[in-house]
């Protein structure tokens, strides 16, 4: 792995663990096992490196979610696969956690990939719900945008509940509850 790749990967890990303020250039260099001038050789500074790391994390999240949401099965089964996928629940969402970082949210450039990723996810799920409605798999009364916002809020809120409880059980309970509601919105469930 090249030095710039090690710097990006180290920054991704540190942002997830410590947030932007807690991710010092020194910590990045130590984790990347890179020399003192390496960061400034490859990036203009910490904000530039953080942006590269956030973009990489966002791309990875979209690829992982997209593989499930665009995969085989009915719209319900694809949403279910997304909700039930393996996650490191107690670490939280590497993208969603950035919304709680005041320095990321205050910087439009750092915030942009976070917003774009969450918007992409809501849009993709909304289109799946609409597809399911058109195929008669979801009740006509379901609004794709509302269900998509609920799915994303359940996942992000599930991370918060699990971290607060110190157990993934709270996340799993939230996901099971949402899947029960979605299953009840299927015409065959009536």
């Amino acid at each position: 792995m090249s030095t710039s790749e090690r710097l990006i990967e180290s920054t991704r890990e540190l942002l997830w663990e410590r947030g932007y303020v807690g991710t010092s250039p020194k910590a990045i260099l130590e984790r990347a096992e890179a020399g003192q001038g390496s960061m400034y050789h490859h990036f203009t500074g910490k904000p530039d490196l953080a942006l590269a790391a956030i973009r990489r994390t966002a791309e990875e999240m979209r690829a992982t979610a997209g593989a499930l949401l665009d995969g085989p099965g009915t719209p319900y089964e694809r949403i279910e696969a997304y909700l039930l996928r393996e996650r490191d629940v107690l670490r939280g969402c590497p993208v969603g956690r950035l919304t709680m970082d005041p320095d990321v949210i205050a910087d439009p450039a750092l915030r942009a990939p976070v917003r774009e990723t969450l918007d992409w996810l809501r849009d993709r799920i909304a289109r799946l719900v609409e597809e399911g409605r058109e195929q008669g798999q979801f009740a006509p009364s379901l609004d794709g945008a509302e269900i998509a916002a609920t799915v994303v809020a359940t996942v992000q809120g599930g991370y918060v509940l699990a971290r607060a409880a110190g157990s993934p059980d709270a996340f799993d309970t939230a996901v099971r509850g949402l899947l029960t509601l979605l299953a009840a919105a299927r015409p065959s469930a009536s």
Side-chain angles (χ1 to χ4, degrees):
M1 190 182 298
S2 71
T3 301
S4 64
E5 285 298 310
R6 288 197 322 269
L7 289 166
I8 291 170
E9 289 304 312
S10 296
T11 303
R12 289 178 64 202
E13 293 169 11
L14 289 165
L15 286 172
W16 196 4
E17 293 168 13
R18 303 178 182 181
Y20 186 81
V21 170
T23 300
S24 68
K26 181 180 177 184
I28 294 168
L29 293 171
E30 285 176 3
R31 174 111 16 137
E33 298 179 352
Q36 192 167 357
S38 297
M39 180 166 49
Y40 299 101
H41 175 73
H42 296 285
F43 303 94
T44 59
K46 178 182 167 182
D48 186 39
L49 176 54
L51 180 58
I54 293 168
R55 282 183 178 151
R56 174 85 50 85
T57 298
E59 290 166 8
E60 186 177 282
M61 182 177 159
R62 284 191 304 270
T64 300
L68 297 167
L69 296 171
D70 297 332
T74 66
Y76 174 86
E77 290 167 343
R78 289 183 276 164
I79 293 169
E80 178 183 48
Y82 167 75
L83 287 169
L84 295 176
R85 80 170 178 81
E86 285 291 320
R87 292 175 166 88
D88 191 351
V89 173
L90 294 180
R91 284 189 77 193
C93 175
V95 172
R97 283 188 67 178
L98 293 170
T99 66
M100 301 305 292
D101 192 313
D103 292 296
V104 171
I105 295 305
D107 184 322
L110 295 177
R111 185 180 63 240
V114 174
R115 187 196 73 243
E116 290 162 4
T117 299
L118 294 173
D119 288 349
W120 173 88
L121 183 58
R122 283 195 319 268
D123 180 65
R124 186 65 197 99
I125 294 169
R127 286 188 285 128
L128 264 179
V129 171
E130 295 304 325
E131 180 183 327
R133 282 181 48 207
E134 290 168 9
Q135 296 173 2
Q137 296 171 10
F138 286 124
S141 61
L142 286 188
D143 179 275
E146 290 175 358
I147 298 302
T150 302
V151 169
V152 173
T154 298
V155 170
Q156 295 302 318
Y159 283 124
V160 171
L161 294 172
R163 287 173 58 84
S167 168
D169 293 344
F171 182 94
D172 296 340
T173 299
V175 166
R176 281 194 313 271
L178 178 57
L179 287 171
T180 299
L181 293 172
L182 284 175
R186 297 168 74 187
S188 60
S190 342

